Amino acid sequence: MTAARAAVEILKREGIGNAFGVPGAAINPFYAALKASGGVHHTLARHVEGASHMAEGYTRARPGNIGVCVGTSGPAGTDMINGLYSAMADSVPILCITGQAPTAVLHKEDFQAVDIASIAAPVTKAATTVLEAAQAPGHPGALEPHAPCRVRSPAAGRPRGTGAVRGPGPPSGTR
């Protein structure tokens, strides 16, 4: 099972029935798993920032549910920051799922390989890029899975981990 398929199965197990987002190369394995698995309805947004606000609105409209935003790597991840900030400011839980560039280009100034965990840290409770399955979070909660393409690819073998940005709420120590 790929990490993308595992992430979809976790969403379903946690009762997630809707997601909002924009496909892109680094997140397409997740979209393929979402389609193959069924059970999670996807609403295509015109922009990832809009999808993050749609996720926030969905959470507000349906108490007890978590709005989910999906986007690819690089600028799409940074486009989610406004939605994460808005959700944090009003203590509205949302889940943002991003792809990531291959591990070979991480931290090498590649356009799609932004350090989204560091960028998202000020507007989340925790932000992590998980590169190995052993680092994957094993507990429910609001997550931003964020894994390099190589780690998520079906050719990688056993399921690999995804990263997590937990929200809502300000970073620890600020409230």
Side-chain angles (χ1 to χ4, degrees), residues 139-170:
H139 57 298
L143 304 174
E144 179 178 328
H146 167 83
C149 294
R150 180 193 62 76
V151 174
R152 271 198 333 276
S153 73
R158 73 182 206 279
R160 297 293 189 170
T162 55
V165 173
R166 296 182 39 118

Side-chain angles (χ1 to χ4, degrees), residues 3-71:
R5 180 62 185 255
V8 170
E9 293 304 318
I10 290 168
L11 290 177
K12 288 171 48 178
R13 186 177 65 218
E14 294 298 323
I16 302 297
N18 289 283
F20 309 91
V22 180
I27 197 67
N28 280 342
F30 177 83
Y31 273 101
L34 197 66
K35 182 177 180 180
S37 178
V40 178
H41 173 76
H42 181 265
T43 301
L44 182 64
R46 296 222 175 203
H47 191 276
V48 178
E49 180 183 353
S52 66
H53 291 293
M54 292 164 77
E56 179 186 1
Y58 179 80
T59 300
R60 288 175 186 267
R62 300 202 50 183
N65 289 322
I66 303 294
V68 176
C69 173
V70 182

